[in-house]
């Protein structure tokens, strides 16, 4: 690969403005046949999303992916969302019981509009076989598969039937995969996204490493249709993580899906827990994200997200760890 860089190493270059107000810029995206207000999805993690937030996001026209860590609630969740006339978007793993769950959905005539196969090392036969099982059993579901970090993986999962792939191994804020295994896209997630996007024939979700709203525009520039974000969504009053007070200041807990806090045991731990500053309501952040992205579109010289996809850029430096502390 020629150039290796990450979000903090890139600046996009402005083009002549064609709008009189940023409010003219449209941040919406069509993904899996539905139109959403933003190309952004909160991470499918237990301290980021719950049923209440999922419902709110669907009602308000945002994309969501429910996590898979309370498996027994998923069937009723799908039923409930669809009874309300909303789309259902859930996650699954690859273990034997997940095959039975997919069959149970079919037996109950429930087809979730979106199913995300969510495992750490998505370039595997386990994911390929699960894609094929879902496509055979629930052909109407839009299948997102991941996570991966190479063009070969994107192509293989697409060829197996995935409708979109999720790119990002190790760039997450509570991720310690890069430290514990030496592998991943941590420190060069944006370049990995570009590398994968060049090979992709279907949409890509850029997952992990977003630290500022400007990183959303950069992800779009380098090939993302959607951007999955954890840490920036962790600190809201609605966030499911515990609220903690330290020296008179409020924080929210944010932990990795492969942390001992999620797993309940210290085996193959590749995630950690941290405290994130409390930052008000989720709605306000989504509005600010939209305004910032409207501004990005205006700097790109257009009126829609597509304008961002073609702007020039410069590489300003290169560093690892995305500004995060090692532990
Ligand atoms: N995006 C990222 O960088 C990462 C994300 N995560 C998140 O953590 C959660 C748990 O992930 P995961 O542990 O995969 O889920 P599971 O615990 O459901 O494991 C899925 C299956 O894959 C196997 N597996 C896990 N990692 C590997 C590997 N490196 N090589 C071969 N087999 C493997 C597991 O077996 P066994 O456990 O016995 O090996 C298990 O059979 C997910 O939500 C995932 O997205 C975790 C790490 C990195
Ligand atoms: N290596 C690990 N990655 C994890 C874990 N739990 C979640 N994740 C990934 O992080 C992103 C969110 O990243 P952020 O930078 O926006 O906070 C999430 O979508 C997962 O892909 C984990 O335990 N280990």
């Amino acid at each position: 690969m020629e150039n290796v860089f990450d979000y903090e190493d890139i600046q996009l270059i402005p083009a002549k403005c064609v709008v009189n107000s940023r409010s003219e810029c449209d941040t919406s995206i069509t993904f899996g046949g539905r139109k959403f207000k933003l190309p952004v999805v909160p991470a499918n993690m237990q301290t980021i999303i719950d049923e209440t937030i999922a419902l709110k996001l669907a009602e308000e026209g945002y994309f969501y992916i429910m996590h898979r860590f309370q498996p027994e609630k998923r069937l009723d969740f799908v039923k409930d969302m669809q009874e309300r006339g909303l789309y259902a978007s859930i996650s699954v793993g690859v273990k034997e019981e997940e095959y039975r769950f997919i069959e149970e959905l079919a037996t109950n005539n429930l087809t979730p509009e979106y199913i995300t196969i969510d495992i750490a090392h998505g370039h595997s036969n386990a994911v390929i076989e699960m894609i094929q099982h879902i496509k055979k059993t629930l052909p109407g579901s839009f299948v997102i598969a991941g996570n991966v970090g190479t063009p070969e993986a994107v192509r293989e999962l697409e060829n197996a039937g995935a409708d979109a792939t999720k790119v990002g191994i190790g760039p997450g804020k509570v991720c310690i995969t890069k430290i514990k295994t030496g592998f991943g896209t941590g420190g060069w997630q944006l370049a990995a996204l570009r590398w994968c996007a060049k090979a992709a024939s279907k949409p890509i979700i850029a997952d992990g490493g977003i630290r500022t709203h400007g990183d959303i525009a950069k992800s779009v520039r380098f090939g993302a249709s959607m951007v999955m974000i954890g840490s920036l969504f962790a600190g809201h009053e609605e966030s499911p993580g515990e609220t903690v007070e330290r020296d008179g200041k409020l924080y929210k807990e944010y932990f990795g899906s492969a942390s001992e806090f999620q797993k309940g045991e210290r085996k193959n731990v590749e995630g950690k827990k941290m405290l994130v500053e409390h930052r008000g309501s989720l709605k306000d952040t989504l509005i600010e994200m939209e305004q910032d992205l409207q501004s990005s579109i205006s700097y790109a010289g257009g009126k829609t997200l597509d304008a961002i996809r073609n702007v020039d850029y410069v590489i300003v430096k290169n560093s690892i760890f995305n500004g995060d502390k090692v532990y």
Side-chain angles (χ1 to χ4, degrees):
M1 193 190 324
E2 338 80 88
N3 285 324
V4 174
F5 50 79
D6 212 342
Y7 289 101
E8 60 185 337
D9 309 322
I10 290 292
Q11 281 289 276
L12 304 177
I13 299 181
K16 187 178 178 190
C17 184
V18 299
V19 293
N20 292 316
S21 161
R22 284 165 283 203
S23 60
E24 291 171 42
C25 298
D26 177 6
T27 62
S28 68
I29 180 94
T30 298
F31 183 76
R34 272 176 191 73
K35 194 172 171 184
F36 299 105
K37 279 185 185 161
L38 281 176
V40 166
V41 58
N44 49 345
M45 299 166 71
Q46 205 168 353
T47 49
I48 300 297
I49 187 154
D50 59 14
E51 288 80 1
T52 311
I53 296 177
L55 178 65
K56 201 90 199 122
L57 290 172
E59 280 175 345
E60 299 285 328
Y62 296 101
F63 187 47
Y64 77 88
I65 303 175
M66 187 60 194
H67 67 74
R68 65 175 169 93
F69 303 109
Q70 288 168 310
E72 70 288 353
K73 291 169 88 177
R74 289 178 300 186
L75 195 130
D76 283 341
F77 173 77
V78 173
K79 208 184 275 176
D80 185 48
M81 294 299 279
Q82 293 183 337
E83 275 170 10
R84 292 169 187 262
L86 300 167
Y87 69 93
S89 174
I90 58 165
S91 303
V92 297
V94 294
K95 292 182 182 164
E96 195 48 40
E97 59 268 23
E98 298 293 72
Y99 281 77
R100 305 293 81 80
F101 170 60
I102 296 296
E103 287 153 15
E104 196 186 351
L105 285 168
T107 307
N108 283 276
N109 281 323
L110 292 169
T111 298
E113 281 74 7
Y114 299 86
I115 300 181
T116 297
I117 305 170
D118 167 42
I119 67 164
H121 191 1
H123 190 184
S124 65
N125 285 336
V127 168
I128 289 170
E129 283 158 21
M130 182 51 93
I131 294 169
Q132 290 165 342
H133 183 65
I134 298 173
K135 281 293 172 190
K136 193 164 140 235
T137 315
L138 298 170
S141 288
F142 184 91
V143 175
I144 300 162
N147 275 21
V148 298
T150 62
E152 292 80 7
V154 169
R155 275 191 225 106
E156 266 202 66
L157 299 193
E158 284 186 352
N159 289 340
D163 298 299
T165 52
K166 195 144 69 72
V167 171
I169 309 259
K173 188 92 174 173
V174 284
C175 163
I176 52 172
T177 300
K178 56 195 168 223
I179 296 148
K180 292 194 74 176
T181 72
F183 280 81
T185 58
W188 63 290
Q189 166 71 359
L190 193 58
L193 171 65
R194 181 172 82 150
W195 197 34
C196 290
K198 283 185 172 175
S201 62
K202 297 175 183 177
I204 283 190
I205 301 183
D207 179 13
I210 302 296
R211 301 288 174 264
T212 65
H213 294 184
D215 293 346
I216 300 167
K218 292 177 189 177
S219 302
V220 171
R221 167 61 184 83
F222 287 96
S225 294
M226 272 282 168
V227 185
M228 179 169 267
I229 302 180
S231 53
L232 288 187
F233 281 122
H236 296 98
E237 55 207 33
E238 302 90 336
S239 304
E242 290 287 310
T243 303
V244 175
E245 193 185 324
R246 290 275 157 88
D247 301 326
K249 258 184 106 173
L250 288 182
Y251 298 86
K252 282 272 186 169
E253 275 185 1
Y254 175 42
F255 56 73
S257 305
S259 67
E260 61 179 301
F261 309 97
Q262 182 71 68
K263 293 180 156 208
E265 61 173 341
R266 236 186 126 62
K267 181 167 179 281
N268 294 127
V269 164
E270 291 187 19
K272 63 179 180 179
K273 177 159 83 173
M274 63 183 292
L275 294 179
V276 174
E277 275 186 36
H278 202 285
R279 50 181 306 195
S281 86
L282 178 59
K283 188 168 183 232
D284 288 346
T285 296
L286 289 168
I287 289 170
E288 190 181 337
M289 268 182 190
E290 181 174 352
Q291 290 171 352
D292 290 343
L293 198 51
Q294 284 178 312
S295 207
S296 300
I297 292 170
S298 80
Y299 282 113
K303 290 183 175 182
T304 64
L305 278 178
D306 277 340
I308 296 177
R309 300 191 195 284
N310 300 312
V311 291
D312 287 330
Y313 65 91
V314 286
I315 301 177
V316 289
K317 69 181 170 66
N318 194 5
S319 67
I320 61 167
F321 291 131
N322 228 5
D324 292 344
K325 289 202 182 104
V326 173
Y327 268 98

